[in-house]
Amino acid sequence: KNQVEQSPQSLIILEGKNCTLQCNYTVSPFSNLRWYKQDTGRGPVSLTIMTFSENTKSNGRYTATLDADTKQSSLHITASQLSDSASYICVVSARYGNKLVFGAGTILRVKS
Amino acid sequence: DGGITQSPKYLFRKEGQNVTLSCEQNLNHDAMYWYRQDPGQGLRLIYYSQIVNDFQKGDIAEGYSVSREKKESFPLTVTSAQKNPTAFYLCATGERTDEQFFGPGTRLTVL
């Protein structure tokens, strides 16, 4: 069964600190993996996308990594800001089919 | 959110009532999707449409209906047959399944 598991479920960090969110998947055959940021009460917005051949992708203070062999991805946030408080969702696309597989998300709260 | 609008932002439904959620896009995308989001769960696909006048059931289509009469519009009706409709509903569009852009969402609450 195609699944995406994210950890931790929630995380609280102090402003200025770094953090890393994890995503494990069983989707096969793998096509690509995206990380989305979803502010409370809003729609998700794409942060990064990685294909099978990519193992690192950055978008400002956000850096995603992908290990296709172990089927794991991480999202590292550097020098966190209050505006980083949101839910971060890992989404995996299979090479065939018309659906995406969504993780349940990690809720990040950055406090001052 | 870009060129995707969803209305209303908040919607309240009484028992036994049908309600319709609007999704409009000006991105000229062929494909449109409806998802349901519940706390602690990943987004679940309700219906999707890859072309005008055609749509397919997703994983949780029971109690929902859609139409796709225009490329720009993909309304979702939550019928009285949906016994637990309270959720956050997201519409998405895209040219490819693996590249979807999401609207701002509609929060539906059953009174």
Side-chain angles (χ1 to χ4, degrees), chain A:
Chain A
K1 181 180 178 182
N2 289 330
Q3 286 185 311
V4 174
E5 301 285 343
Q6 291 188 243
S7 63
Q9 279 188 313
S10 62
L11 181 62
I12 302 175
I13 62 173
L14 288 174
E15 187 178 14
K17 299 296 186 182
N18 304 336
C19 68
T20 300
L21 315 180
Q22 301 289 344
C23 173
N24 297 335
Y25 62 92
T26 60
V27 179
S28 182
F30 173 85
S31 177
N32 61 56
L33 183 148
R34 282 183 186 266
W35 283 94
Y36 282 87
K37 178 186 179 188
Q38 183 178 23
D39 293 319
T40 301
R42 306 293 299 274
V45 175
S46 181
L47 292 174
T48 64
I49 178 172
M50 287 183 293
T51 60
F52 184 88
S53 59
E54 297 174 300
N55 53 26
T56 302
K57 184 72 71 76
S58 291
N59 178 2
R61 295 180 296 101
Y62 300 101
T63 299
T65 65
L66 174 65
D67 185 334
D69 292 331
T70 62
K71 299 186 177 181
Q72 296 180 323
S73 176
S74 64
L75 181 69
H76 186 74
I77 304 174
T78 304
S80 61
Q81 299 175 0
L82 296 178
S83 60
D84 292 330
S85 295
S87 178
Y88 292 84
I89 302 171
C90 177
V91 184
V92 181
S93 174
R95 190 168 301 173
Y96 309 110
N98 294 317
K99 294 189 295 185
L100 303 176
V101 184
F102 292 82
T106 292
I107 299 172
L108 174 65
R109 179 183 162 206
V110 180
K111 63 178 189 177
S112 56

Side-chain angles (χ1 to χ4, degrees), chain B residues 7-27:
Chain B
S7 61
K9 187 173 178 65
Y10 299 98
L11 186 57
F12 298 92
R13 193 193 92 166
K14 296 180 180 179
E15 294 286 344
Q17 188 178 43
N18 293 355
V19 293
T20 297
L21 285 61
S22 170
C23 177
E24 303 279 334
Q25 57 112 350
N26 62 7
L27 301 173

Side-chain angles (χ1 to χ4, degrees), chain A residues 9 31-32 34 36 38 41-46 49 87 89 93 97-100 102-105, chain B residues 1 9 33 35 37 40-43 45 48 50 59 88 90 96-100 102-104 107:
Chain A
Q9 279 188 313
S31 177
N32 61 56
R34 282 183 186 266
Y36 282 87
Q38 183 178 23
R42 306 293 299 274
V45 175
S46 181
I49 178 172
S87 178
I89 302 171
S93 174
N98 294 317
K99 294 189 295 185
L100 303 176
F102 292 82
Chain B
D1 303 345
K9 187 173 178 65
Y33 309 82
Y35 292 93
Q37 187 174 36
Q41 297 188 40
L43 272 68
L45 183 64
Y48 65 99
Q50 293 183 302
D59 299 318
F88 191 53
L90 286 160
R96 308 189 321 254
T97 298
D98 62 358
E99 184 177 33
Q100 295 183 22
F102 289 87
R107 184 164 299 281

Side-chain angles (χ1 to χ4, degrees), chain B:
Chain B
D1 303 345
I4 305 169
T5 58
Q6 290 187 241
S7 61
K9 187 173 178 65
Y10 299 98
L11 186 57
F12 298 92
R13 193 193 92 166
K14 296 180 180 179
E15 294 286 344
Q17 188 178 43
N18 293 355
V19 293
T20 297
L21 285 61
S22 170
C23 177
E24 303 279 334
Q25 57 112 350
N26 62 7
L27 301 173
N28 202 34
H29 289 159
D30 285 318
M32 298 186 73
Y33 309 82
W34 274 106
Y35 292 93
R36 170 179 171 141
Q37 187 174 36
D38 295 282
Q41 297 188 40
L43 272 68
R44 292 182 290 169
L45 183 64
I46 304 173
Y47 269 97
Y48 65 99
S49 168
Q50 293 183 302
I51 196 169
V52 174
N53 293 323
D54 185 58
F55 48 83
Q56 306 295 328
K57 291 182 178 180
D59 299 318
I60 56 166
E62 185 175 351
Y64 300 97
S65 66
V66 295
S67 63
R68 186 83 187 277
E69 298 177 359
K70 299 186 301 182
K71 188 175 185 177
E72 301 79 19
S73 178
F74 191 40
L76 172 74
T77 296
V78 184
T79 74
S80 57
Q82 172 49 243
K83 296 307 179 187
N84 185 24
T86 294
F88 191 53
Y89 290 86
L90 286 160
C91 175
T93 75
E95 284 300 320
R96 308 189 321 254
T97 298
D98 62 358
E99 184 177 33
Q100 295 183 22
F101 300 88
F102 289 87
T106 291
R107 184 164 299 281
L108 173 63
T109 303
V110 174
L111 298 176

